[in-house]
Amino acid sequence: MGVSAASILNQLLHAKNLKPQPRSTATNTTKAAITTILSHVNAGHICKAASVLFAFPAPFPYSLYAHLFQHCTSPRAVVGLRKAESHLLTFSPNPPIFLLNRAIEAYGRCDSLRDARELFDEMPQPDGGSWNALINAYSQRGFSDEVFKLFLKMNRCGVYPNQITLAGVLGSCAVASEIVLAKQAHVTVVKFGFCRNVILGSSLVNVYGKCGLMVDARRMFQEIPSPNAVTWNVIVRRYLDAGDAREAIVLFSRMFLVKVRPLHFTFSAALVACASISRLEEGMQIHGVVVKLGLHEDNVVSSSLINMYMKCGKLEDGHEIFDQIGSKDLVSWTSIVSGYAMCGKIWEARKIFDEMPERNVISWNAMLAGYARFCDWHEALDFIYLMLGKIKDVDHVTLSLMLNVSAGLSDQEMGKQVHGYIYRHGFHSNLSAGNALLDMYGKCGNLNSATVWFDQMSNRRDWVSWNALLASYDHHQLGEQALTKFLEMQWETKPTKYTFGTLLAACANSSSLNFGKQIHGFIIRHGFEMDIIIRTALVNMYSRCRCLEYAIEVLKGAISRDIVIWNTIIFGCCHNHRGKKALELFQLMEAEGINPDQVTFQGILLACVEEGFVDVGTDCFRSMSNEYYVLPWLEHYDCMIELYSRHGYMDELENFLKTMPIEPTLSMLRRAFEASQKNRYSRLGEWITHKLNEFEH
DNA sequence: TTAGGGTTAG
């Protein structure tokens, strides 16, 4: 490359023989050239404009250069921009600093920071505006470290920052989560009395929020005399990102009270907030406002609306908006697919997925997540093969889902292959992929690999990682070790209700009553909310540890009881050979208006087997489909065969076997055969022998 | 003359 524009500037500034030419001598030719240049600039043809300029060996008014610099907005303009700068410096060797500052900004916008920096460095006396231009050029292109260095250098050079400098610096602090420097900048804002500046106020709200300090962000927000739409947008967005969707919605609604019209982005943020915590009512109200303001034409807002309805389970409403919008984009298609898939309407989701005009990794993941959520492992596996054939780059979500599928299928080999891929492609530092890996090893029964991986994750693990490890101990019936690990966990992170679920399951599976009681005590002492999930885990733990009375006490303590907790206690009674108690509790459950499901009947039939209540069992089985409209599963038929076989009700057994609407399984036939032999009931024995022969052929 | 926020889907 030849001599740069900035060096030309330097030479010119030191050359004494060049004098600025009088600018009043504009001839008609100059005027014509200016007109041509302006028309090119206004049409966005910077290079053409610069060529005309360059061909004219005379100075032009500064305003023309300023106009040209201002219109340089994309990297395409950079060649023209260089020409214009060089022309300026050749024919006006002493240009005003403000014009050079405009050129620095223009280089920034053209993504040519080297030129910007060179020009700045060659300036004999950069002013505050030059520093600002360069700092903001770096700030807007995300080079936070450069911004920080320049800011310090600027201070050292004795140049005072102004509002513009601080806005750029705070923006970079937000990008880099640089809280220490942000606080220093905050002090400067206060010291120089810029506190009432709404732009700096918004930047401070933003930076505190991005650094996870929502209390400070909120305090800053409250100090701003009249927050504008951008300020509100920032605070809503920061609450949403901080995981407080509820507060995001509250603040969004407050905007209407203070009569600040939300921006498009704020509408979509509020809709995302509603979607994330299933606040349909608020979502519908926002929908109303969106329509009133005509924002439903906006692609992003309409996609957010579709997503909100789908996530709130209102599939038809979401689909209706989708049908109405003119340009259905990838995002709205994916929202629809995901909505159906996550509601368990897998078939519908797949149908829509297959109709999609285009797909990306997110749409593939949305569909795969549906299969995984509903444990449709074989379909998921087929889908993965299909996906890998169609898409080149999978991401950490795909990899996590693939690990879930490996775990679901207990296919450790597949899991290991995914592990290899994760390692080779640098996904091992991704937390969700790492947690999925841990979960896979645990569920595939490889406690050793799970532990090794868990230790390797030491600097980037969270409570999900700990839970996965605890679940792995549970899987290996190591309740005691789980508890030890739980104590260790508290040095690092806080337990959640899911942790207790896992720990109590570990205690239940290893009959560790003492540890179970300790966990129960921990939950109470630390004031964790005793929700239905924890309560169910406790009921399960106590009944599995042969402490049925405790289990019943926990059950009674619940404000409301769902089918799962009732089923748990009914099975708990069976586990403790207390069939009568199970039937008694079943009646209480019905009195509470809870409808039994397949699992309940399985428990009831088990109780009847346990107690030898053959008539009750027979009645129950009959009423199951006739009165409760609960279709029997294979397990229920199995229970009935066990009931008749164990208690020697051979006529009933024969009748049942011969009239079953499904073919008896091998184990059912074997069980019944044993009973016929024991009870010398040869007619059935012969029939079964015949059936068993059929099986063999 | 220069400054802030932000684009929906897994």
Side-chain angles (χ1 to χ4, degrees), chain A residues 131 148-161:
Chain A
W131 285 95
F148 304 149
K149 277 190 219 155
L150 280 168
F151 182 56
L152 294 177
K153 204 171 163 194
M154 175 184 185
N155 282 306
R156 274 203 300 272
C157 290
V159 182
Y160 286 122

Side-chain angles (χ1 to χ4, degrees), chain A residues 507-619:
Chain A
C507 297
N509 289 337
S510 54
S511 303
S512 317
L513 180 62
N514 272 337
F515 296 119
K517 279 185 175 169
Q518 287 184 40
I519 302 295
H520 191 176
F522 185 96
I523 295 169
I524 295 171
R525 280 198 309 280
H526 289 80
F528 278 91
E529 184 203 346
M530 186 79 84
D531 70 358
I532 190 83
I533 294 171
I534 292 186
R535 215 171 264 280
T536 306
L538 281 168
V539 168
N540 184 45
M541 184 275 293
Y542 280 125
S543 44
R544 297 284 290 280
C545 293
R546 309 226 170 270
C547 241
L548 193 61
E549 300 315 317
Y550 273 54
I552 293 173
E553 279 309 306
V554 175
L555 174 90
K556 282 185 183 163
I559 302 164
S560 66
R561 284 165 282 267
D562 64 0
I563 185 71
V564 181
I565 199 166
W566 280 110
N567 288 348
T568 307
I569 193 73
I570 288 172
F571 266 85
C573 292
C574 297
H575 185 79
N576 287 278
H577 311 293
R578 301 274 300 275
K580 269 188 205 155
K581 192 73 192 171
L583 296 175
E584 211 181 291
L585 287 166
F586 175 66
Q587 284 179 339
L588 280 178
M589 167 184 149
E590 282 211 283
E592 268 190 9
I594 306 285
N595 292 322
D597 66 0
Q598 270 100 345
V599 181
T600 326
F601 279 109
Q602 221 180 312
I604 294 304
L605 293 177
L606 267 179
C608 294
V609 170
E610 196 62 49
E611 297 286 346
F613 292 159
V614 180
D615 295 340
V616 179
T618 308
D619 282 348

Side-chain angles (χ1 to χ4, degrees), chain A residues 36 60 160 197 216 247 251 272 331 335 343 369 426-427 454 471 487 492 522 539 561 567 579 595 670 676:
Chain A
T36 319
F60 283 101
Y160 286 122
N197 182 324
D216 297 271
E247 196 58 23
L251 284 166
V272 170
V331 178
S335 292
C343 279
F427 285 104
F454 181 80
L487 298 175
E492 205 173 289
F522 185 96
V539 168
R561 284 165 282 267
N567 288 348
N595 292 322
R670 284 189 181 139
S676 357

Side-chain angles (χ1 to χ4, degrees), chain A residues 5-23 58-60 62 65 84-97 99-100 119 122-125:
Chain A
S7 337
I8 295 173
L9 162 71
N10 225 12
Q11 286 166 20
L12 290 170
L13 287 173
H14 293 95
K16 302 272 185 300
N17 55 347
L18 268 169
K19 288 197 177 90
Q21 297 186 10
R23 283 187 288 131
F60 283 101
Y62 294 141
Y65 296 102
E85 186 208 332
S86 141
H87 189 273
L88 167 70
L89 298 176
T90 311
F91 298 103
S92 310
N94 236 338
I97 296 178
L99 197 52
L100 297 176
L119 178 51
E122 300 279 346
M123 281 170 80
Q125 278 180 317

Side-chain angles (χ1 to χ4, degrees), chain A residues 7 40 90 129 227 239 255 298 349 373 393 457 495 525 528 544 616 619 622 662 677:
Chain A
S7 337
H40 281 317
T90 311
Y239 270 113
M255 291 184 76
D298 182 89
R373 172 178 258 199
D393 296 311
M457 286 177 80
R525 280 198 309 280
F528 278 91
R544 297 284 290 280
V616 179
D619 282 348
R622 219 172 277 147
I662 56 164
Q677 280 196 316

